[in-house]
Amino acid sequence: MLSEKIAALVQYGMDTGLTPACEKIYTTNLLLDLFHEDDYEEPAKIPSEPLEDILKGLLDEACRRELIPDSIAYRDLFDTRMMNCLLPRPSQVQREFEERYQRSPQEATDYFYRFSQDSDYIRRYRVSKDQKWKTATEYGEIDITINLSKPEKDPKAIAAARNAKTGAYPKCQLCMENEGYAGRIDHPARENHRIIPITIYNSRWGFQYSPYVYYNEHCIVFNGEHTPMKIDRAAFTKLFDFVRQFPHYFLGSNADLPIVGGSILSHDHFQGGNYTFAMAKAPIEQHVTLPGYEDVEAGIVKWPLSVLRIRHKDEKRLIDLATHVLAVWRDYTDEDAFIYAYTDGEPHNTITPIARKTGDSFELDLTLRNNITTEEHPLGVYHPHANLHHIKKENIGLIEVMGLAVLPARLKDEMALLKEYILAGKDPASDETIAKHAAWVSEFLPAYPSITEENIEEILQNEIGKVFVKVLEDAGVYKCTKEGREAFLKFIESL
């Protein structure tokens, strides 16, 4: 059985172009060594199986031989080692990328995206489990996903991590040192990971894809040094340095303050990709003219968050204007609109920027953010409010700002149970797992005179989408009301 599975994996490597045919024997021997196996018999017929099944068979054998405990964390560490046996060295991947880039940036990214999937760094079979749909709203079609591709930690891994010595290498999951790293219980294996070096802001940066690909070609562009995120003139310059090199990709940054920032503020990085979000499609609702920048097209975007869009053929004009907007916003206070730049010396105002190229012009969306908290809203005034936490409690980062809800995996089972209760006419409040959704359900049920097995899925998806719109509206520092627009224009006049 081991010989068959190894042969199938090597054949997969050759079929996908990861492994040259001339390296068949070499790759087979590398895999045999992982299993501490000295013998091998070439099977008469190599079974044709999906990669997930091939790896499962090999992992089951590794557990049977007591090479690893039978736990998803240890299995992930081991299958990454196996996949690395099939792969070219980093320099070979970089050379192939560069050769293709000389022909076309898109050809280069097409190659690298496919490679990152074929190598199982992006686990297609897990990503495909994510539940995804679109919801039509007054702001356009927004994207919803229930994230199921990140494996839940099992009890064995949790116990092992508790007893393991905490490592400080790599410093975080975005460091260059992750390339080829074998991983440990509290840090993912990255032996099958390859990074493309690029030059941004005259310094060394890395280009890779997110292993969880929340949207098409979801890439991460990160500083070669472990240095904190900061939104400033340099950040705007870095965004356009990348967009000039890869004009078919957008690139954006999380904000640089807690609550309104991303999950990793300790390492300077951006996220981008080849996808058009609802925010990018949203029109300018009200054009404005900014003194000294009359040549720059500017306006308030029709979007639940507070977005100033600026557009010009010369990205340097956008960098200059964005720097000015940021400087004014950092110190801007409007008590009537509950905008406070500082409380007790703590800064609250920052920006979530997104850069892209549209036709022959460059475009920059500047999303105004504020992370002030109060007793009523201890997690943030411009953060999902408590009545929405049953669906979304986590920070509203770059991806959500653009119109993609990344919702917790718990919702899959909760929605399945909720369907049963609604169809049976039972009260969700009677079950502790879904009691948190009871008030929400009682609000929307009257709008649907007939709820059946056939339409309940669509109804729940639609209502979750409506909740996410409210989440985004909560995150907007200026609301989409007459008073909100007047307050937004008041800030713009201060520019």
Side-chain angles (χ1 to χ4, degrees):
M1 197 284 286
L2 179 61
S3 291
E4 281 191 359
K5 291 293 184 183
I6 285 178
L9 186 57
V10 173
Q11 187 62 50
Y12 168 86
M14 293 190 294
D15 290 345
T16 54
L18 297 172
T19 308
C22 63
E23 293 182 9
K24 177 181 178 180
I25 294 172
Y26 172 78
T27 305
T28 300
N29 287 334
L30 288 178
L31 290 164
L32 287 170
D33 182 57
L34 283 185
F35 284 87
H36 303 173
E37 178 60 61
D38 298 325
D39 293 330
Y40 176 78
E41 186 175 330
E42 182 74 18
K45 184 180 180 183
I46 298 174
S48 176
E49 296 178 286
L51 177 61
E52 183 180 13
D53 294 344
I54 297 170
L55 292 175
K56 182 182 182 302
L58 288 165
L59 290 167
D60 289 346
E61 180 64 16
C63 293
R64 191 185 70 78
R65 294 183 179 220
E66 298 185 345
L67 298 174
I68 56 170
D70 191 2
S71 146
I72 190 167
Y74 288 100
R75 290 169 78 99
D76 279 2
L77 292 173
F78 195 80
D79 70 8
T80 304
R81 290 180 68 191
M82 289 193 289
M83 289 304 300
N84 191 43
C85 294
L86 310 182
L87 304 186
R89 302 280 284 193
S91 63
Q92 294 170 277
V93 177
Q94 292 168 19
R95 185 165 57 247
E96 181 73 21
F97 183 92
E98 181 58 33
E99 288 175 0
R100 290 172 181 263
Y101 183 86
Q102 294 307 316
R103 295 194 290 269
S104 156
Q106 184 160 356
E107 182 182 332
T109 55
D110 285 349
Y111 153 74
F112 189 47
Y113 188 54
R114 185 176 63 254
F115 172 88
S116 298
Q117 295 174 89
D118 290 343
S119 68
D120 208 37
Y121 165 71
I122 297 171
R123 297 173 184 259
R124 287 187 180 104
Y125 44 87
R126 285 189 185 163
V127 173
S128 66
K129 294 175 183 175
D130 288 350
Q131 294 184 352
K132 299 182 178 184
W133 68 91
K134 291 179 181 289
T135 297
T137 75
E138 61 181 295
Y139 304 105
E141 270 199 333
I142 60 171
D143 295 285
I144 312 290
T145 178
I146 296 178
N147 174 35
L148 304 170
S149 55
K150 278 188 181 179
E152 298 288 334
K153 285 189 176 179
D154 55 74
K156 288 182 183 178
I158 293 170
R162 189 183 304 121
N163 298 324
K165 180 182 175 183
T166 302
Y169 176 89
K171 289 179 181 176
C172 78
Q173 292 186 28
L174 291 178
C175 285
M176 287 282 192
E177 289 79 9
N178 282 280
E179 187 176 41
Y181 186 62
R184 52 183 190 266
I185 287 300
D186 62 346
H187 193 101
R190 290 291 183 253
E191 285 175 294
N192 60 345
H193 180 37
R194 300 293 183 264
I195 295 169
I196 302 298
I198 59 176
T199 300
I200 299 288
Y201 200 60
N202 297 317
S203 58
R204 184 179 69 121
W205 282 60
F207 170 77
Q208 66 183 49
Y209 289 102
S210 164
Y212 308 113
V213 285
Y214 292 135
Y215 51 86
N216 187 50
E217 296 175 54
H218 177 184
C219 71
I220 301 173
V221 180
F222 58 99
N223 199 316
E225 301 297 325
H226 184 75
T227 185
M229 291 185 66
K230 187 177 182 183
I231 301 298
D232 55 9
R233 181 184 183 87
F236 301 136
T237 305
K238 292 168 188 173
L239 292 176
F240 283 114
D241 272 2
F242 179 84
V243 171
R244 275 203 317 273
Q245 294 178 62
F246 300 92
H248 59 299
Y249 275 14
F250 77 87
L251 195 68
S253 176
N254 269 304
D256 55 357
L257 293 178
I259 297 177
V260 295
S263 56
I264 303 179
L265 295 179
S266 60
H267 196 124
D268 192 14
H269 73 285
F270 306 121
Q271 296 182 76
N274 190 6
Y275 190 72
T276 304
F277 288 93
M279 180 188 187
K281 297 176 186 175
I284 288 178
E285 184 178 82
Q286 185 169 354
H287 283 82
V288 297
T289 302
L290 302 173
Y293 299 92
E294 290 83 1
D295 56 319
V296 178
E297 183 183 354
I300 296 172
V301 178
K302 186 181 179 182
W303 192 244
L305 285 98
S306 308
V307 183
L308 177 66
R309 177 170 295 160
I310 55 178
R311 188 183 293 132
H312 200 279
K313 290 185 178 180
D314 181 0
E315 78 279 8
K316 296 183 184 65
R317 292 293 288 156
L318 301 184
I319 293 167
D320 288 343
L321 177 51
T323 303
H324 173 58
V325 173
L326 176 65
V328 174
W329 177 245
R330 289 277 194 202
D331 294 325
Y332 186 77
T333 291
D334 180 353
E335 293 184 8
D336 292 337
F338 206 79
I339 304 294
Y340 292 88
Y342 302 92
T343 55
D344 299 324
E346 180 188 347
H348 296 302
N349 290 348
T350 185
I351 280 176
T352 299
I354 302 107
R356 64 183 76 90
K357 192 167 188 191
T358 54
D360 60 353
S361 295
F362 291 97
E363 195 170 271
L364 185 62
D365 282 350
L366 301 171
T367 311
L368 306 180
R369 312 298 302 275
N370 179 289
N371 75 346
I372 195 169
T373 61
T374 62
E375 285 188 14
E376 184 184 1
H377 301 295
L379 297 181
V381 172
Y382 305 109
H383 176 87
H385 291 174
N387 64 313
L388 307 177
H389 288 179
H390 65 104
I391 297 293
K392 178 74 173 175
K393 183 179 182 179
E394 299 77 14
N395 289 357
I396 302 306
L398 170 68
I399 293 173
E400 287 85 4
V401 164
M402 295 185 293
L404 166 58
V406 181
L407 302 179
R410 63 174 172 81
L411 285 177
K412 178 190 175 186
D413 292 337
E414 289 174 11
M415 290 305 112
L417 187 57
L418 206 53
K419 282 184 206 173
E420 293 178 19
Y421 270 64
I422 292 173
L423 290 172
K426 293 164 67 177
D427 182 6
S430 64
D431 185 290
E432 62 178 1
T433 306
I434 55 174
K436 64 175 83 73
H437 300 297
W440 170 56
V441 170
S442 66
E443 282 177 17
F444 73 70
L445 276 186
Y448 300 95
S450 174
I451 298 180
T452 66
E453 187 80 47
E454 288 70 33
N455 69 8
I456 190 165
E457 177 89 10
E458 184 181 352
I459 288 171
L460 281 176
Q461 288 184 350
N462 187 47
E463 292 300 325
I464 289 173
K466 289 179 182 178
V467 170
F468 182 61
V469 168
K470 292 177 182 176
V471 162
L472 295 181
E473 288 174 339
D474 280 352
V477 294
Y478 297 118
K479 306 310 176 188
C480 297
T481 61
K482 179 176 178 289
E483 295 77 17
R485 283 292 177 258
E486 287 173 354
F488 199 163
L489 287 169
K490 182 180 174 183
F491 165 68
I492 289 173
E493 286 167 8
S494 74
L495 298 173

